[in-house]
């Protein structure tokens, strides 16, 4: 009941320290005014004690209680109801360009590179509730999996559906993946536009040069974070396809064009990262999440309900009762 009550003028409660002094003075004064008479017997005075003369102390009690209530009222008790309204003041549009070439099935990450990426990317998407996010797939060519949208359920469903397939031309067309991502963001009116481009290889396909694509990103004010995915050295990677359509694996050298990825990131004001295992990949996405913060404006509304009025009325009523009693029933005893 009293949890939300606050006092605007708490310092006025110091006046309550005067009340014990007033009570002590009243008791001292009452004892001093009481006359003493020594007699051999009080037999003749039995039954003559007045009830009202003893009950007169209630007048002082009423005054003390009234002063306590009035002091509390002066301290301005009130309840506070706080409501919060948040508003996104700086939206970010993000496109995640994901390499889906056969090499993404390499097992140097658990259970493979593509599945490890999907798990980390899903957490990243959940952590961006106020931004629009889209997905681009690329291998030897590129296409938009999901246009930028605020509907995270659609993005998450599309992310889960991403897998290696033979429909997309084989190879790694980094320029195509980047150019397609730029195309999704070039007309965006967001304050900040970001591409997270991930690959595990070198640019060996496509008809758009990655450097030309990065220049387009600069022209449209798009920042590109690039991620090279794969361990250092050798990795168990797909080498050929069996008759039943499954891959045959062998240990192969991991080759990532880190120089190109660094140049793309530097040219666009982004940053290059290297993910050699699941933990490092998760750390990279967390770092990007910190670097690209959405500005949120929070407004708090305070609704105050003053509670001093009932205390003033009750305190005033007690003083009035005390005055009336003092000048009527107790007039002969005070």
């Amino acid at each position: 009941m009293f949890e939300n009550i606050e006092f605007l003028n708490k310092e006025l409660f110091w006046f309550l320290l005067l009340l014990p002094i007033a009570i002590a003075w009243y008791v001292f004064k009452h004892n001093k005014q009481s006359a003493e008479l020594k007699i051999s017997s009080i037999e003749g005075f039995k039954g003559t004690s007045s009830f009202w003369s003893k009950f007169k102390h209630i007048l002082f009690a009423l005054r003390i209680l009234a002063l306590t209530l009035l002091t509390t009222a002066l301290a301005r008790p009130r309840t506070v109801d706080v409501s919060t309204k948040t508003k996104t003041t700086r939206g970010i549009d993000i496109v995640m360009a994901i390499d889906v070439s056969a090499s993404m099935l390499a097992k140097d990450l658990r259970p493979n590179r593509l599945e490890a990426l999907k798990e980390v990317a899903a957490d990243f998407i959940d952590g961006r509730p106020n931004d629009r996010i889209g997905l681009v797939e690329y291998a030897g060519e590129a296409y938009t999996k999901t246009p930028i949208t605020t509907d995270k359920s659609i993005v998450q469903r599309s992310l889960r559906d991403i897998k290696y397939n033979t429909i997309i031309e084989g190879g790694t067309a980094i320029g195509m993946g980047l150019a397609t991502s730029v195309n999704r963001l070039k007309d965006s009116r967001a304050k900040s536009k970001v591409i997270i481009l991930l690959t595990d290889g070198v640019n060996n396909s496509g008809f758009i040069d990655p450097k030309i694509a990065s220049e387009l990103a600069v022209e449209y004010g798009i920042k590109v974070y690039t991620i090279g995915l794969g361990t250092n050295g050798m990795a168990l990677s797909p080498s050929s396809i069996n008759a039943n359509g499954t891959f045959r694996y062998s240990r192969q050298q991991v080759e990532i064009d880190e120089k190109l990825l660094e140049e793309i990131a530097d040219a666009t004001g982004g940053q290059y990262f290297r993910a050699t295992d699941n933990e490092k990949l998760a750390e990279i996405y967390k770092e990007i999440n910190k670097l690209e913060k959405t500005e949120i404006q929070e407004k708090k509304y305070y609704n105050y309900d003053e509670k001093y009025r009932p205390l003033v009325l009750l305190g005033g009523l007690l003083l009035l009762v005390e005055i009336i009693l003092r000048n009527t029933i107790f007039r002969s005893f005070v």
Side-chain angles (χ1 to χ4, degrees):
M1 178 180 178
F2 301 104
E3 288 181 0
N4 296 324
I5 290 182
E6 66 173 25
F7 293 90
L8 189 61
N9 304 316
K10 300 186 189 72
E11 64 276 5
L12 293 180
F13 280 121
W14 287 105
F15 286 112
L16 294 179
L17 294 177
L18 298 175
L19 296 184
I21 299 174
I23 293 172
W25 174 253
Y26 177 80
V27 173
F28 172 75
K29 186 178 178 183
H30 173 72
N31 291 336
K32 189 175 181 181
Q33 289 178 344
S34 299
E36 293 185 2
L37 178 63
K38 293 184 179 181
I39 57 176
S40 59
S41 175
I42 61 170
E43 195 67 30
F45 294 95
K46 285 184 179 180
T48 62
S49 177
S50 170
F51 167 79
W52 295 110
S53 64
K54 293 181 178 179
F55 201 61
K56 69 179 182 180
H57 301 300
I58 195 173
L59 300 178
F60 180 73
L62 288 173
R63 182 172 297 184
I64 291 295
L65 184 56
L67 290 174
T68 301
L69 292 172
L70 292 174
T71 301
T72 305
L74 287 172
R76 290 284 299 278
R78 62 185 183 179
T79 56
V80 186
D81 180 27
V82 182
S83 59
T84 302
K85 184 178 181 181
T86 58
K87 178 184 177 183
T88 303
T89 58
R90 186 184 177 209
I92 298 178
D93 282 353
I94 301 172
V95 169
M96 303 172 71
I98 300 173
D99 187 344
V100 292
S101 57
S103 58
M104 285 291 287
L105 300 179
K107 298 181 181 298
D108 48 350
L109 274 75
R110 304 179 304 273
N112 58 49
R113 293 173 185 171
L114 185 58
E115 291 304 316
L117 167 65
K118 287 164 63 174
E119 182 179 346
V120 171
D123 292 337
F124 177 82
I125 293 168
D126 284 338
R128 313 293 302 192
N130 301 301
D131 301 322
R132 298 196 303 171
I133 297 179
L135 299 175
V136 166
E137 287 186 12
Y138 73 95
E141 54 185 341
Y143 76 96
T144 300
K145 180 74 171 178
T146 306
I148 52 175
T149 176
T150 56
D151 192 335
K152 300 304 185 295
S153 62
I154 292 177
V155 182
Q156 291 283 22
R157 186 163 57 249
S158 297
L159 180 65
R160 288 193 296 270
D161 290 341
I162 291 179
K163 57 186 178 181
Y164 169 77
N165 60 69
T166 56
I167 298 175
I168 300 179
E169 182 182 333
T172 302
I174 295 175
M176 295 287 289
L178 181 55
T180 302
S181 301
V182 170
N183 189 52
R184 301 314 312 180
L185 288 173
K186 64 184 180 67
D187 296 323
S188 167
R189 295 184 179 181
K191 295 285 185 180
S192 183
K193 294 175 281 189
V194 172
I195 293 172
I196 303 174
L197 185 142
L198 180 140
T199 185
D200 66 345
V202 298
N203 186 67
N204 56 19
S205 185
F207 56 84
I208 298 180
D209 188 286
K211 293 183 180 179
I212 299 296
S214 65
E215 290 174 4
L216 288 173
V218 173
E219 182 179 344
Y220 289 108
I222 300 170
K223 187 186 297 182
V224 183
Y225 291 99
T226 55
I227 301 174
L229 182 62
T231 189
N232 294 312
M234 308 291 286
L236 194 61
S237 306
S239 56
S240 59
I241 300 179
N242 296 316
N244 59 2
T246 60
F247 278 103
R248 186 179 296 111
Y249 284 79
S250 63
R251 298 192 65 80
Q252 300 179 34
Q253 181 67 36
V254 176
E255 295 182 4
I256 300 173
D257 194 343
E258 293 191 275
K259 186 175 183 298
L260 173 63
L261 297 178
E262 286 176 353
E263 289 175 351
I264 293 172
D266 290 341
T268 60
Q271 194 171 333
Y272 168 68
F273 301 93
R274 178 67 187 271
T276 54
D277 53 40
N278 294 65
E279 291 72 24
K280 184 62 178 176
L281 180 62
E283 289 174 9
I284 289 170
Y285 273 88
K286 287 179 181 178
E287 180 65 21
I288 296 174
N289 192 39
K290 292 178 183 177
L291 291 171
E292 295 297 328
K293 284 292 184 183
T294 300
E295 292 180 8
I296 298 176
Q297 187 180 75
E298 182 179 87
K299 289 185 177 180
K300 286 189 176 182
Y301 300 89
Y302 296 86
N303 182 30
Y304 297 101
D305 185 12
E306 299 286 351
K307 298 295 184 182
Y308 68 86
R309 294 179 184 86
L311 298 175
V312 171
L313 291 175
L314 183 56
L317 179 61
L318 291 177
L319 283 178
L320 180 61
V321 171
E322 190 255 345
I323 292 171
I324 292 174
L325 292 176
R326 183 179 295 275
N327 290 280
T328 54
I329 298 174
F330 296 102
R331 188 171 184 177
S332 302
F333 303 103
V334 295

